[in-house]
Amino acid sequence: MDEKTLDIVNFRDIGGYTGLAGMLKPNYFYRSAQLTDLTDAQKTGLVADKKIKTIIDFRTDEEVQNTPDSDVTGITYRQIDVLGAGSGAPSFDAMLQNAEVGQAFMLDTYAELVLSKQAQQAYHDFLMHLIEQPEAIVFHCFAGKDRTGYAAALILKIAGIDNQTILEDYLLTNDVRRAENERAIAEIQTHVHATPEDLVGLQKLFEVDASYLKQSVQTIEASFGTFENYLQKGLALPADYIQRFRDIYLEA
């Protein structure tokens, strides 16, 4: 059962890319949108076909309580909240308010993913999980684009994949989420009046943009100097983390 057949929003394997250090092994790192209301066939696909052992949920307590992931027999569930209290799924009205500031709102979010203590602890816990329990996982947030997209970029960077490839993988979310984004915006329009300007802003919120990921890179450089310093000083990872990760997950 391939990703398309599984039919889970924004579900895909980020393995298979090759950098100077080797190829990131496929069938270990799956990213996704939230895993709510899964069918029996989808649950079977995650367990029997993808061999996934752990679901890692980056959402807040409020998000999890409002729309919990489906329980999947044979898969361990772990919540690692990236944004913390006060950052739950916004209301329709709040989404429109955020849409008014559009790109600026998203740029602030990506700086927060790098600098906030909550996010630093969360990504520390996530990345340590990868080397402490080497197994197939699926990690997700609400839409699987920002908290999840940043996590995927971290994995690929640690694996030694070049920046352009990381950016292209990140932007792939816009293709695989297009139908879901159109559905979500149409639903919003049934609840509140949205002006043409609102819709443009909402589109910004539902999509990823190269400037968002670049904002995180620039924030890392400005605050830590290098990616390696960010891993050690920002995320408090061991000095040999990159080598330990590559020993497990890369092949020549």
Side-chain angles (χ1 to χ4, degrees):
M1 181 181 290
D2 59 22
E3 280 80 354
K4 186 174 182 180
T5 303
L6 195 55
D7 196 28
I8 295 174
V9 175
N10 208 6
F11 183 93
R12 63 187 193 271
D13 185 354
I14 65 169
Y17 291 115
T18 300
L20 294 177
M23 184 185 75
L24 181 64
K25 295 176 182 178
N27 307 317
Y28 276 96
F29 303 116
Y30 295 94
R31 54 177 294 179
S32 176
Q34 61 186 8
L35 298 171
T36 57
D37 300 321
L38 296 181
T39 66
D40 288 342
Q42 288 169 330
K43 294 178 182 180
T44 299
L46 292 176
V47 175
D49 183 59
K50 303 304 180 185
K51 312 297 183 186
I52 289 171
K53 300 298 183 183
T54 302
I55 292 170
I56 296 182
D57 187 346
F58 291 139
R59 296 178 300 161
T60 64
D61 290 342
E62 181 181 358
E63 290 175 286
V64 172
Q65 290 167 5
N66 289 339
T67 51
D69 276 359
S70 298
D71 183 46
V72 183
T73 302
I75 297 181
T76 300
Y77 172 86
R78 181 180 181 185
Q79 181 194 9
I80 302 179
D81 181 356
V82 169
L83 293 178
S87 299
S91 66
F92 291 122
D93 288 339
M95 291 179 76
L96 287 176
Q97 291 170 6
N98 288 337
E100 293 174 3
V101 297
Q103 189 175 43
F105 173 82
M106 296 308 301
L107 293 175
D108 287 345
T109 298
Y110 274 75
E112 182 180 0
L113 292 179
V114 176
L115 295 178
S116 80
K117 295 302 181 184
Q118 178 81 24
Q120 289 175 353
Q121 184 62 56
Y123 288 122
H124 166 90
D125 293 347
F126 172 64
L127 292 172
M128 288 303 297
H129 176 97
L130 303 185
I131 61 172
E132 291 171 350
Q133 299 184 52
E135 58 191 10
I137 66 168
V138 54
F139 55 100
H140 75 86
C141 50
F142 166 63
K145 68 182 187 73
D146 299 312
R147 290 165 285 186
T148 298
Y150 182 65
L154 288 178
I155 291 172
L156 294 175
K157 184 70 173 178
I158 291 167
I161 308 305
D162 67 274
N163 292 336
Q164 182 59 36
T165 299
I166 293 173
L167 179 59
E168 290 172 359
D169 180 82
Y170 170 79
L171 292 174
L172 185 60
T173 284
N174 290 338
D175 293 330
V176 298
R177 277 199 58 88
R178 183 168 288 111
E180 178 62 18
N181 289 348
E182 292 173 354
R183 183 206 63 76
I185 290 175
E187 180 180 353
I188 288 174
Q189 289 179 281
T190 68
H191 288 77
V192 296
H193 173 70
T195 67
E197 292 77 14
D198 289 331
L199 294 179
V200 171
L202 280 172
Q203 195 69 33
K204 286 286 187 183
L205 289 177
F206 279 106
E207 293 182 345
V208 293
D209 187 90
S211 64
Y212 304 162
L213 191 61
K214 289 178 181 178
Q215 171 79 339
S216 67
V217 172
Q218 291 169 357
T219 303
I220 287 172
E221 292 174 348
S223 301
F224 301 98
T226 66
F227 181 70
E228 289 74 14
N229 281 345
Y230 165 66
L231 294 182
Q232 292 181 43
K233 297 179 181 179
L235 302 188
L237 295 173
D240 63 347
Y241 183 88
I242 290 178
Q243 190 57 55
R244 290 169 66 182
F245 177 94
R246 292 179 179 180
D247 286 344
I248 298 169
Y249 292 112
L250 295 193
E251 59 185 37

